[in-house]
Amino acid sequence: MKKFLFLLLIVPFMLCACKVSDPKIGQARAVVLFDYETGGYPQVRMCAFVSLLSEYNRFKELVVKNKKEKLVWNITNPVFISDSRVVWCGSTSIYGGGGLGIPAGDYEVTYTDLADRTAKYYCKVEYPSELAGIGYGSLFSSEYLKNLDEYLVLFSDKKEIIYLGKKDESPFETNYAILEKYPSTAAKRRLFTKNNLTYAVLLPVETVKK
């Protein structure tokens, strides 16, 4: 599930890309995810990753900090994901503390390797906090999805991503068509986001059957 969630977020859009002092470190990306996994109200969390252009086994720690609210997340057991060019490391499960949720604003992301060399990234996260209080039954009558692009996501019974594409470009209008192309598909979800936004809305799981 962790790999699945990050792939959903990293494919559609470029989020935070910041220049760093260490040339072996690439980019930082952060996004707030409103996950309506089973309907009801969304689970809200942040995904934060950095790309490593050097050996991934030199990772020591990733620190995500919101200075204004004095919130700090230390990631020492990261998720590692390869996108065929670089290795990404970080977390898909960053939750707010003290009732603050995930604060909007400026974030500092610090990567530390085993030699205690560090690289800092500065990213801004902005999102409509009101979404957290909107139940699934009211979501489509709200304004929050109207200007977002819709994606179709297919995944296997092991929750590995199989397909991700824009809904208006997708060839799959029926479950039968999906299974004809990807027989191992177990479920599908709808993802709403837009290029350069730092938030996304993920709709409930729908089982794919013939």
Side-chain angles (χ1 to χ4, degrees):
M1 176 60 80
K2 290 181 177 180
K3 180 177 181 181
F4 165 69
L5 286 173
F6 181 60
L7 285 170
L8 289 184
L9 301 171
I10 200 174
V11 173
F13 51 126
M14 301 289 289
L15 295 174
C16 298
C18 314
K19 186 177 180 181
V20 299
S21 58
D22 189 337
K24 293 185 179 181
I25 308 302
Q27 301 177 17
R29 297 181 183 180
V31 60
V32 174
L33 178 65
F34 294 85
D35 187 354
Y36 290 84
E37 184 172 4
T38 58
Y41 290 92
Q43 183 184 61
V44 183
R45 61 184 175 280
M46 185 167 66
C47 304
F49 278 74
V50 295
S51 61
L52 304 179
L53 305 184
S54 56
E55 297 82 3
Y56 71 89
N57 58 359
R58 295 191 61 80
F59 176 94
K60 181 179 181 181
E61 183 182 46
L62 192 67
V63 177
V64 180
K65 182 184 298 184
N66 183 291
K67 289 186 175 181
K68 182 178 179 180
E69 302 295 347
K70 297 182 179 179
L71 290 177
V72 179
W73 296 270
N74 295 79
I75 302 166
T76 56
N77 186 26
V79 177
F80 289 99
I81 300 169
S82 173
D83 70 355
S84 78
R85 293 176 302 168
V86 297
V87 174
W88 294 82
C89 69
S91 175
T92 61
S93 302
I94 296 177
Y95 295 92
L100 293 172
I102 303 295
D106 297 320
Y107 280 79
E108 177 186 275
V109 182
T110 304
Y111 169 80
T112 304
D113 68 10
L114 289 175
D116 288 324
R117 295 178 301 181
T118 63
K120 292 184 184 294
Y121 303 78
Y122 297 91
C123 302
K124 184 180 290 293
V125 173
E126 296 179 333
Y127 66 95
S129 59
E130 298 85 358
L131 250 173
I134 296 179
Y136 182 68
S138 303
L139 184 62
F140 290 92
S141 61
S142 71
E143 297 292 321
Y144 295 107
L145 297 186
K146 292 183 178 179
N147 295 319
L148 300 183
D149 295 327
E150 181 178 352
Y151 292 79
L152 174 67
V153 188
L154 308 179
F155 55 99
S156 70
D157 57 359
K158 295 181 179 180
K159 299 181 180 178
E160 294 288 340
I161 193 168
I162 296 174
Y163 170 86
L164 170 62
K166 277 192 175 182
K167 183 66 181 296
D168 57 5
E169 299 171 358
S170 171
F172 308 118
E173 295 184 0
T174 66
N175 286 346
Y176 180 82
I178 291 172
L179 291 169
E180 280 285 340
K181 180 72 173 180
Y182 298 106
S184 62
T185 301
K188 61 184 179 181
R189 300 186 74 176
R190 297 162 69 190
L191 173 73
F192 288 83
T193 188
K194 202 170 184 67
N195 191 36
N196 293 326
L197 290 184
T198 55
Y199 71 94
V201 179
L202 188 60
L203 299 195
V205 176
E206 298 179 56
T207 301
V208 174
K209 296 181 180 179
K210 289 184 178 179

